[in-house]
Amino acid sequence: MKPLESDEKTALVMFYTATALIRGEIVVKINQRVNIWLRSLGVPNYIHIHKAQVISFIGAPPRNSSFSEMFLPAAQVLGFHLVPPADEPLDYEEGEAMRMMQAVDVVIGTFVFKGKARISTQMDFAASLDVMRSTWLSIYDADISNPNLPQFKMQVPMLLVNPTQVTFGLV
């Protein structure tokens, strides 16, 4: 990895695709909020990940691999979050009127994210999805698990998911 510029930092993050989990470091600007980084205009077509650790779910059992550098097509990213215990401010105001939290399960490949989506009080979840124009939907207070990795349990305060590429379940 080349030395960081004076206005850069690294952040340890996780990316979820349809067939893999990737954990590694990305380089972002110091003033960039990492938890909403995928919403920014500067996201490249290929995400450069340093010290990448990959769990692939193609075939059985899941396979591990490591790379000093990896280039992940941004179009393949279905979910993204900071690795705990790293934490940043959430992307909404607590007292925001006319919004509520909807309990939702999000399925990405073999991962299940049990969390909450923030939607309008004026419509149900289905209508919210239909009118949504955002490429990324925030999911809050998510418990993440995977039946193929029983030891994998994680809780994150916020993650981003691509709402057109994941499955939602209401309980």
Coordinates of all heavy atoms in Angstrom, one line a residue, residues 72 140 167:
L72 N -12.8 -4.8 -6.0 CA -14.2 -5.3 -6.1 C -15.0 -4.4 -6.9 O -15.1 -3.2 -6.6 CB -14.7 -5.4 -4.6 CG -16.2 -5.7 -4.4 CD1 -16.4 -7.2 -4.8 CD2 -16.6 -5.5 -2.9
Y140 N -30.6 -0.1 10.5 CA -30.1 0.3 11.8 C -30.2 -0.9 12.8 O -31.1 -1.7 12.7 CB -30.8 1.5 12.4 CG -30.8 2.6 11.4 CD1 -31.9 2.9 10.6 CD2 -29.7 3.5 11.3 CE1 -31.9 3.9 9.6 CE2 -29.7 4.5 10.3 CZ -30.8 4.7 9.5 OH -30.8 5.7 8.6
T167 N -33.3 -9.1 -0.5 CA -34.6 -9.5 -0.2 C -35.0 -9.0 1.2 O -34.2 -9.1 2.1 CB -34.7 -11.1 -0.3 OG1 -34.3 -11.5 -1.6 CG2 -36.1 -11.6 0.0

